């Protein structure tokens, strides 16, 4: 074979055709892929389907640990790239962020070895989850749950653009992000990695993120952009147990209507180039073995031509965890035949020879392998890796810049959500004396959460010393002489995320005597995935006791929630004068909170989930009418079914007030193909400028399947000066009012719908019933 000559011709085609139309560029790429495939051996093809972690090729005692400073082991590189022709590497070494200089050195060496061996560049992947997670000095944004709280898709796109740029500056062209699991169970340890509980909000944020990562042309991802990988397809966020990577039970209607929709939008509308599969089990079927969901729903129904990659070691998990195959060979066969294109192994070198054996035995068709390799090569061409497989970090002078920091700070500002402000205790007046208390008051680790310089976020203090904790930011804002810190409760930083040191509550109570305000910062230490599982959703006993003790001092307590998921606060919320949810706001979260508490920034975040009040009262805003029966039924069985929540989805206060008026629709009656235009006037009736997320909800009043009580259909974030009025126009395609029926078909029925924006309501009517034959509207 002479792959290198073919690649030379391909590079000429790329350089002359890259500015052509997307469709033409794609056709040229297919020609190049066909030429490559025709010359590749089976072993080379299988290598393109394999992905291994960086530690495997690092010098060190074993495959799981590398020596520091990190260096590539030439012998292992020869094994992985030379012998097995592996096409992808991922992750960092020793679970530690690296400088752009180290990334450039490491990835350049990998690429040079790959080009020497096969002429095909490696594609390097990383979790850039709220910034370039594993690069020291990068810009960190709020985690996804905070970005969702902004209800600002433009800000989401900007944030992903910055993350893409800084990930490219690290010589990495592929991120395993955005996370699109619906966060509909407050117990789940990855709630904070989601855009919250609503399918529409998830879809819109995901599309914005994908476009920010990839840019305008998915067939030619430019030098400042990277490929997105939407994850974890799908239903990963609602395990029955509430614990990570455990089985989910989801109705067929919800699976299609709610859980699938964000992935559909990210692929069809956003153009996502890759997808990662859910590690768990849905309705008894391991997702990595589910041909229907992986191949039929994604590849066939959506005409998806990108790469489908496994999650970490999940082919092996079909054997060792799920017990659905007899041996590893059976696991590989099952996953590849289900539609997996690339296996994130990440250590087991038996994958490549095992798949070669399966193909030779006819257990995996060569056509399936060719399809997978075609997708991997297509992704590499789209990223320009054949033309430029590595580059200098000096080509990215805006890495970690002040301009990027300003965008991250703006995102933190808009994410923070004011949930209570009794007697207008906020903003705090200048010159006030403040006690900062609680375990989250002086920690960069808790502000960032997991996926921050390391997987669990435990190394954050080592890398983020130049940023301000809440305590430090408040000192800068109100004066060091006016702000003291006495935590009362602290985390055991070298223990599990939930471990706390023996509390010293009386020290904090004593310090309150000299304060005008108490800023009590509670919540969670950083965690990620399965290590973040919990058995009790209530805020820890120590933190609860601290809050109650400080409330007894009579000083106004401002309760700051710094948490990845909503911990129950019903026993301490009544005694708090104010409640502020900061989620996991990133490195600029302390500064953002200080600006909000001082009034320099007006809070505008809205809850992207329903904040529960009781552990046995977990509910989402789009529940069924039977979950909220008003009053009692008649007769012997006179039960009700009301569920009490702490705060509803979409809730968030401001230092100003907004008045809605003049709600109108252009069509009181509509047909399935129509688009309804909804207009409303919003006025800032307060004394300070503010931002408002204008949301349009619908309610299907009668349907053949019990309808959700309400659904978010559109939103727009606006800014208003005092006294200013704006007319907001929201578009609602009639098909968006459809639901999935018991046969899995999208259905829009004749009947009435209530539309609500703010406190204003209009009723519209569908004049026809339509059932779509296609699986997607």
């Amino acid at each position: 074979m002479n792959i290198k000559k073919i690649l030379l011709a391909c590079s000429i085609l790329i350089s002359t055709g890259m500015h052509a139309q997307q469709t033409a560029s794609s056709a040229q790429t297919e020609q190049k892929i066909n030429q490559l495939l025709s010359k590749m051996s089976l072993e080379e093809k299988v290598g393109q389907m394999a992905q291994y972690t960086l530690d495997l090729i690092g010098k060190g005692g074993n495959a799981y640990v590398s020596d520091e400073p990190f260096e590539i082991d030439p012998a292992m590189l020869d094994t992985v790239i030379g012998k097995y022709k592996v096409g992808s590497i991922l992750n960092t070494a020793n679970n530690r962020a690296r400088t752009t200089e180290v990334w450039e050195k490491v990835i350049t060496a990998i690429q040079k070895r790959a080009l020497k061996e096969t002429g095909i560049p490696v594609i390097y992947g990383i979790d850039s989850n709220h910034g370039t997670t594993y690069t020291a000095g990068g810009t960190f944004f709020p985690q996804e749950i905070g970005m969702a709280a902004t209800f600002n898709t433009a800000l989401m796109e900007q944030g992903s653009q910055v993350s893409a740029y800084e990930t490219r500056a690290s010589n990495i062209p592929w991120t395993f992000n955005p996370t699109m699991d619906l966060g509909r169970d407050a117990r789940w340890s990855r709630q904070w990695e989601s855009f919250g509980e609503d399918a529409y909000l998830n879809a819109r944020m995901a599309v914005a993120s994908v476009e920010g990562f990839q840019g305008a042309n998915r067939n030619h991802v430019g030098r400042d952009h990277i490929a997105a990988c939407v994850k974890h397809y799908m239903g990963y966020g609602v395990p029955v147990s509430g614990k990570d990577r455990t089985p989910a039970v989801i109705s067929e209607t919800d699976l299609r209507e709610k859980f699938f929709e964000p992935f559909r939008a990210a692929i069809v509308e956003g153009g996502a180039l890759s997808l990662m599969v859910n590690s768990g089990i849905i309705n008894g079927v391991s997702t990595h073995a589910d041909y229907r969901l992986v191949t039929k729903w994604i590849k066939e129904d959506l005409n998806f031509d990108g790469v489908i990659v496994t999650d970490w070691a999940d082919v092996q998990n079909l054997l060792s965890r799920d017990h659905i195959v007899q041996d590893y060979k059976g696991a590989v066969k099952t996953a590849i035949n289900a539609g997996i294109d690339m296996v994130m192994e990440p250590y087991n070198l038996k994958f490549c020879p095992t798949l070669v054996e399966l193909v030779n035995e006819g257990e995996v068709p060569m056509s399936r392998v060719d399809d997978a390799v075609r997708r991997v090569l297509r992704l590499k061409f789209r990223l320009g890796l054949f033309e430029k497989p590595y580059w200098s970090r000096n080509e990215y002078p805006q890495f970690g810049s002040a301009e990027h920091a300003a965008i991250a700070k703006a995102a933190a500002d808009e994410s923070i959500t004011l949930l209570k402000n009794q007697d207008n205790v906020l903003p705090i007046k200048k010159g006030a004396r403040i006690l900062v208390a609680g375990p989250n008051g002086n920690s960069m680790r808790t502000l960032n959460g997991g996926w921050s310089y390391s997987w669990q976020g435990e190394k954050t203090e080592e890398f983020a010393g130049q940023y301000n904790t809440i305590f430090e930011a408040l000192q800068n804002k109100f004066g060091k002489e006016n702000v003291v810190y006495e935590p009362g409760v602290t985390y055991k930083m070298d223990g599990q995320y939930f471990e706390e040191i023996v509390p010293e509550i009386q020290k904090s109570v004593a310090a309150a005597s000299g304060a005008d305000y108490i800023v009590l910062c509670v919540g969670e230490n950083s965690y990620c995935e399965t290590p973040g599982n919990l058995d009790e959703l209530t805020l820890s006993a120590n933190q609860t006791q601290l809050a109650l003790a400080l409330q007894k001092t009579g000083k106004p307590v401002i309760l700051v929630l710094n948490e990845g998921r909503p911990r129950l606060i019903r026993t301490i919320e009544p005694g708090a004068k104010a409640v502020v949810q900061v989620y996991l706001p990133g490195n600029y979260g302390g500064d953002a909170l200080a600006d909000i508490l001082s009034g320099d920034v007006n809070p505008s975040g809205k809850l992207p989930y329903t904040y529960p009040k009781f552990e046995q009262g977990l509910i989402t805003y789009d529940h069924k009418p039977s979950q909220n029966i008003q009053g009692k039924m008649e007769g012997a069985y006179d039960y009700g079914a009301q569920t009490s929540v702490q705060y509803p989805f979409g809730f968030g206060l401001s230092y100003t007030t907004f008045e809605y008026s003049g709600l109108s629709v252009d069509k009181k009656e509509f047909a399935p193909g129509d688009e309804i235009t909804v207009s409303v006037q919003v006025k800032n009736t307060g004394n300070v400028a503010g931002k408002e997320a204008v949301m349009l909800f619908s309610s299907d009043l009668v349907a053949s399947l019990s309808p959700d009580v309400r659904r978010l259909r559109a939103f727009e974030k606006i800014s208003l000066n005092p006294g200013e009025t704006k007319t907001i126009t929201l578009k609602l395609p009639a098909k968006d009012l459809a639901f999935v029926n018991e046969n899995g078909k999208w259905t829009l029925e004749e009947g009435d719908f209530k539309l609500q924006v703010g406190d204003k309501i209009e009723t519209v009517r569908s004049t026809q019933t339509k059932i779509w034959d296609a699986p997607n509207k």
Side-chain angles (χ1 to χ4, degrees):
M1 68 179 179
N2 198 344
I3 290 180
K4 291 179 183 177
K5 284 186 178 179
I6 293 173
L7 290 170
L8 177 60
C10 289
S11 66
I12 294 171
L13 280 172
I14 294 170
S15 62
T16 59
M18 65 173 59
H19 299 297
Q21 295 289 327
Q22 286 195 48
T23 52
S25 175
S26 179
Q28 290 174 348
T29 298
E30 297 309 305
Q31 180 183 354
K32 301 162 200 168
I33 293 169
N34 288 336
Q35 291 176 328
L36 272 175
L37 273 174
S38 68
K39 301 296 183 181
M40 292 173 70
S41 67
L42 174 58
E43 287 74 14
E44 287 171 328
K45 291 177 180 179
V46 167
Q48 291 299 308
M49 299 170 66
Q51 184 180 60
Y52 291 95
T53 191
L54 182 60
D55 274 320
L56 186 64
I57 58 173
K59 290 183 178 179
N62 56 54
Y64 309 109
V65 179
S66 299
D67 295 335
E68 292 289 352
F70 178 81
E71 291 184 16
I72 288 176
D73 182 342
M76 282 305 300
L77 189 63
D78 282 343
T79 298
V80 171
I81 303 295
K83 181 177 180 180
Y84 292 115
K85 326 294 183 189
V86 167
S88 185
I89 304 292
L90 83 152
N91 210 11
T92 187
N94 288 338
N95 187 33
R96 169 177 292 275
R98 305 288 162 178
T99 64
T100 54
E101 181 179 11
V102 170
W103 279 125
E104 181 182 338
K105 178 182 176 182
V106 168
I107 293 176
T108 297
I110 293 170
Q111 294 289 30
K112 286 182 175 179
R113 184 66 182 85
L115 294 172
K116 179 181 177 182
E117 183 64 34
T118 65
I120 300 174
V122 160
I123 181 169
Y124 205 105
I126 205 82
D127 288 280
S128 290
N129 286 1
H130 66 123
T132 180
T133 298
Y134 286 130
T135 304
T139 306
F140 280 15
F141 287 78
Q143 298 280 2
E144 274 192 20
I145 197 68
M147 294 304 295
T150 70
F151 278 78
N152 189 332
T153 54
L155 200 51
M156 182 73 249
E157 184 172 350
Q158 274 188 297
S160 293
Q161 286 173 345
V162 170
S163 297
Y165 180 97
E166 296 193 352
T167 303
R168 273 281 190 176
S170 310
N171 261 261
I172 299 170
W174 189 21
T175 178
F176 306 124
N177 201 251
T179 301
M180 291 161 49
D181 308 297
L182 299 188
R184 295 172 70 81
D185 188 328
R187 300 170 298 170
W188 187 45
S189 61
R190 304 188 78 168
Q191 169 85 3
W192 50 273
E193 291 185 62
S194 80
F195 291 121
E197 70 185 41
D198 180 64
Y200 180 80
L201 178 59
N202 268 265
R204 300 279 50 89
M205 285 294 185
V207 169
S209 181
V210 169
E211 291 175 345
F213 279 131
Q214 295 184 173
N217 188 342
R218 72 190 297 267
N219 284 318
H220 176 63
V221 178
R223 64 179 297 278
D224 293 344
H225 291 89
I226 59 178
C229 183
V230 294
K231 65 181 185 184
H232 308 82
Y233 177 73
M234 65 179 162
Y236 180 39
V238 288
V240 173
S241 69
K243 292 182 165 55
D244 186 50
R245 285 177 165 81
T246 57
V249 177
I250 306 170
S251 72
E252 194 72 7
T253 56
D254 275 357
L255 196 64
R256 172 71 73 178
E257 184 176 330
K258 294 176 181 175
F259 293 88
F260 183 71
E261 177 58 22
F263 289 95
R264 183 210 62 79
I267 290 170
V268 174
E269 300 173 35
L273 292 173
S274 59
L275 175 146
M276 183 183 292
V277 177
N278 168 19
S279 290
I281 295 171
I282 300 175
N283 300 334
V285 181
S286 301
T287 317
H288 280 77
D290 197 329
Y291 177 88
R292 182 182 73 122
L293 294 186
V294 173
T295 295
K296 186 81 174 69
W297 283 31
I298 293 292
K299 292 184 173 180
E300 295 180 7
D301 290 349
L302 300 186
N303 295 315
F304 179 61
D305 66 356
V307 172
I308 295 182
V309 62
T310 74
D311 205 342
W312 186 272
D314 275 330
V315 169
Q316 173 65 41
N317 282 337
L318 296 178
L319 168 66
S320 57
R321 185 195 63 194
D322 295 353
H323 303 283
I324 66 168
V325 291
Q326 293 287 341
D327 52 26
Y328 180 69
K329 187 175 181 180
V332 173
K333 172 185 172 181
T334 298
I336 300 302
N337 284 338
I340 297 297
D341 301 313
M342 182 181 287
V343 174
M344 188 187 291
E345 187 34 54
Y347 301 105
N348 186 359
L349 288 170
K350 292 180 181 180
F351 168 74
C352 291
T354 299
L355 182 52
V356 167
E357 184 178 338
L358 285 164
V359 175
N360 286 332
E361 293 172 352
E363 296 296 315
V364 173
M366 181 62 81
S367 60
R368 175 74 272 274
V369 171
D370 284 346
D371 171 64
V373 177
R374 185 183 303 278
R375 293 167 182 272
V376 174
L377 294 176
R378 186 181 293 128
L379 180 57
K380 293 180 178 183
F381 275 115
R382 284 169 162 165
L383 288 167
L385 294 178
F386 284 93
E387 182 188 31
K388 193 172 185 179
Y390 51 89
W391 45 88
S392 170
R393 64 193 183 282
N394 296 325
E395 296 177 35
Y396 295 86
Q398 293 300 308
F399 175 87
S401 65
E403 292 84 351
H404 290 180
I407 299 170
K409 169 60 165 56
D413 287 345
E414 291 200 27
S415 71
I416 293 175
T417 306
L418 180 61
L419 298 174
K420 183 179 182 180
N421 193 18
Q422 185 176 333
D423 301 326
N424 292 318
V425 67
L426 296 178
I428 297 173
K429 299 193 171 41
K430 303 293 184 187
R433 297 169 301 167
I434 299 170
L435 166 65
V436 178
N440 296 60
N442 196 29
S443 169
M444 291 308 303
R445 173 178 174 178
T446 61
L447 286 177
N448 279 283
W451 294 120
S452 303
Y453 307 106
S454 65
W455 178 39
Q456 296 294 314
E458 80 286 356
K459 297 181 176 69
T460 299
E461 307 297 345
E462 176 184 344
F463 288 93
Q466 71 269 41
Y467 305 104
N468 294 317
T469 66
I470 293 172
F471 169 56
E472 291 164 345
L474 289 175
Q475 281 191 317
N476 293 339
K477 180 65 65 173
F478 292 95
K480 290 188 176 181
E481 70 280 6
N482 291 324
V483 182
V484 298
Y485 178 58
E486 188 59 62
V489 175
T490 54
Y491 297 116
K492 188 175 185 296
M493 287 299 186
D494 60 350
Q496 298 185 72
Y497 82 93
F498 52 81
E499 292 186 85
E500 296 168 348
I501 295 172
V502 175
E504 298 179 313
I505 292 174
Q506 286 308 310
K507 283 188 176 182
S508 191
V509 170
S513 63
D516 300 313
Y517 297 88
I518 301 170
V519 177
L520 175 57
C521 306
V522 301
E524 300 180 311
N525 203 355
S526 72
Y527 56 83
C528 190
E529 301 188 41
T530 303
N533 284 345
L534 52 63
D535 294 317
E536 171 57 60
L537 191 57
T538 301
L539 191 69
S540 79
N542 288 338
Q543 293 184 54
T544 299
Q545 290 166 13
L546 173 65
L548 294 173
L550 289 173
Q551 288 170 3
K552 287 180 180 178
T553 66
K555 301 297 176 70
V557 173
I558 298 159
L559 185 64
V560 175
L561 306 175
N562 173 204
E563 56 191 6
R565 58 197 152 196
R567 303 303 290 263
L568 304 185
I569 57 170
R570 68 179 181 275
T571 58
I572 62 174
E573 192 271 349
K577 282 288 188 179
V579 180
V580 184
Q581 173 64 280
V582 302
Y583 312 97
L584 303 174
N587 281 331
Y588 300 97
D591 297 323
L593 178 64
D595 280 344
I596 283 174
L597 295 184
S598 69
D600 289 342
V601 170
N602 192 350
S604 64
K606 303 288 187 182
L607 278 178
Y609 52 70
T610 303
Y611 203 118
K613 196 170 189 177
F614 300 94
E615 192 143 13
Q616 299 306 314
L618 303 184
I619 197 170
T620 56
Y621 87 98
D622 53 349
H623 57 268
K624 299 299 182 184
S626 60
Q627 294 172 274
N628 196 27
I629 298 171
Q630 299 296 321
K632 289 186 176 183
M633 297 174 63
E634 294 182 358
Y637 301 100
D638 58 344
Y639 62 85
Q642 289 183 301
T643 301
S644 180
V645 302
Q646 193 73 60
Y647 304 107
F649 171 85
F651 180 73
L653 302 173
S654 171
Y655 293 152
T656 190
T657 52
F658 299 98
E659 180 182 271
Y660 288 75
S661 64
L663 178 65
S664 65
V665 295
D666 69 336
K667 296 179 183 70
K668 287 284 192 176
E669 295 186 342
F670 62 90
D674 288 342
E675 181 178 74
I676 305 166
T677 300
V678 181
S679 297
V680 68
Q681 290 184 335
V682 184
K683 181 179 181 180
N684 182 343
T685 54
N687 298 319
V688 295
K691 296 178 179 179
E692 172 77 339
V694 180
M695 304 180 203
L696 169 63
F697 291 92
S698 74
S699 299
D700 191 346
L701 300 184
V702 177
S704 56
L705 292 184
S706 182
D708 297 334
V709 295
R710 68 198 312 240
R711 293 288 296 274
L712 179 66
R713 300 303 186 185
F715 62 85
E716 184 178 335
K717 189 78 170 276
I718 62 171
S719 298
L720 291 172
N721 290 318
E724 183 181 6
T725 299
K726 286 184 179 178
T727 299
I728 308 304
T729 300
L730 302 169
K731 300 292 186 179
L732 175 60
K735 66 180 183 179
D736 285 0
L737 296 171
F739 64 92
V740 175
N741 69 16
E742 68 276 15
N743 298 315
K745 300 289 187 180
W746 282 99
T747 305
L748 177 62
E749 294 180 334
E750 181 180 351
D752 292 336
F753 293 82
K754 182 174 71 176
L755 303 182
Q756 181 172 0
V757 183
D759 58 350
K760 304 305 177 185
I761 295 172
E762 281 282 351
T763 300
V764 295
R765 181 171 182 81
S766 169
T767 59
Q768 302 174 30
T769 293
K770 179 174 180 177
I771 299 176
W772 280 261
D773 289 330
N776 301 293
K777 294 173 288 181

